[in-house]
Amino acid sequence: MRTPAILLVAALSTLSACDQEAGWSVNSTGTFGNATTQNTGIMTGALDATVALNQRFAAEVPNTVNFAFNRSDLDPAAQAILRQQANWIRQFPEVRFRVFGFTDLVGSEGYNYALGKRRAEAVVAFLGTQGISRSRLEALVSFGKTRPLVNTPGPEVLNRRAVTEVSGFVKGSAPDLNGKYAEVVWRDYVKSAETPHPQNQIIQTQTSGSTGQ
């Protein structure tokens, strides 16, 4: 059962989305319908489940890799991070992911958009070599130089990045995404019971030691 606070947040988010939807114009970026999508996500629980899993993903593995200036190839450090991501992703076959590409502020907007996309594509391609199906990588998105972490006109490695995020669940895997997330949590709970508790290992060690004496 949702708490009053959660219901209030959902209600406010829905009202905000409705304000955008009314008279929202169709444009080349394809944003028409986003407000309806958000409303549906809140009401079905899909948004809650996706946010929760994305927070967990970012807390348990690095979600960002960085690039050399004007490059889209992955150095050894980036590859090591993506292996960690792939190990996490393999544990959750129900989950889809999206990769966002970014650049620093050097160069034109058009050039950087293409560079950001190549960076996102490089991450997707590498995850594919680690056994992750391309069907689970929902989209490749480039923000180019429009969303810098460090607002400086010069080269900045922190801005030259690709970020992996949870975007939702595999279509057709379950109609109730909150229930699907509950399945993920339950599976982890059952798996944790298979591993001996550290306290039991300490007791066993102490018992073995006293027997040997």
Side-chain angles (χ1 to χ4, degrees):
M1 180 178 292
R2 294 179 178 227
T3 65
I6 293 176
L7 289 173
L8 178 60
V9 171
L12 291 175
S13 298
T14 303
L15 288 172
S16 175
C18 287
D19 288 343
Q20 282 190 333
E21 186 72 6
W24 197 251
S25 61
V26 179
N27 57 49
S28 61
T29 61
T31 58
F32 181 78
N34 281 1
T36 298
T37 301
Q38 172 126 338
N39 289 351
T40 302
I42 291 171
M43 290 185 288
T44 61
L47 189 61
D48 290 344
T50 300
V51 168
L53 266 178
N54 191 53
Q55 290 173 343
R56 177 174 174 180
F57 175 69
E60 295 183 0
V61 297
N63 66 350
T64 302
V65 296
N66 296 102
F67 296 85
F69 181 74
N70 199 29
R71 301 290 295 270
S72 60
D73 52 309
L74 301 164
D75 63 19
Q79 292 180 22
I81 288 174
L82 293 178
R83 289 190 187 96
Q84 293 181 59
Q85 291 187 13
N87 289 338
W88 197 96
I89 292 170
R90 280 194 293 268
Q91 299 176 60
F92 302 96
E94 309 93 339
V95 182
R96 292 182 301 177
F97 295 81
R98 179 180 294 141
V99 181
F100 299 87
F102 303 83
T103 71
D104 58 27
L105 300 183
V106 179
S108 69
E109 184 174 343
Y111 182 86
N112 281 299
Y113 178 87
L115 179 58
K117 191 170 189 297
R118 290 198 300 273
R119 287 171 173 168
E121 289 172 343
V123 168
V124 169
F126 187 87
L127 291 174
T129 68
Q130 303 300 301
I132 308 303
S133 171
R134 290 293 293 267
S135 65
R136 296 178 57 202
L137 297 166
E138 183 184 27
L140 300 174
V141 180
S142 174
F143 286 117
K145 66 178 187 176
T146 62
R147 300 191 182 183
L149 288 178
V150 181
N151 193 14
T152 175
E156 174 52 59
V157 66
L158 293 179
N159 292 336
R160 302 192 298 265
R161 67 200 191 278
V163 180
T164 307
E165 292 187 359
V166 173
S167 61
F169 289 78
V170 175
K171 292 180 179 179
S173 63
D176 183 349
L177 297 187
N178 262 345
K180 199 62 184 177
Y181 182 56
E183 288 182 20
V184 170
V185 174
W186 173 252
R187 185 175 66 238
D188 287 353
Y189 174 75
V190 171
K191 185 177 179 180
S192 69
E194 299 173 356
T195 304
H197 192 280
Q199 188 66 32
N200 293 340
Q201 295 177 349
I202 293 174
I203 294 173
Q204 291 173 0
T205 301
Q206 292 174 341
T207 302
S208 300
S210 60
T211 303
Q213 291 176 353

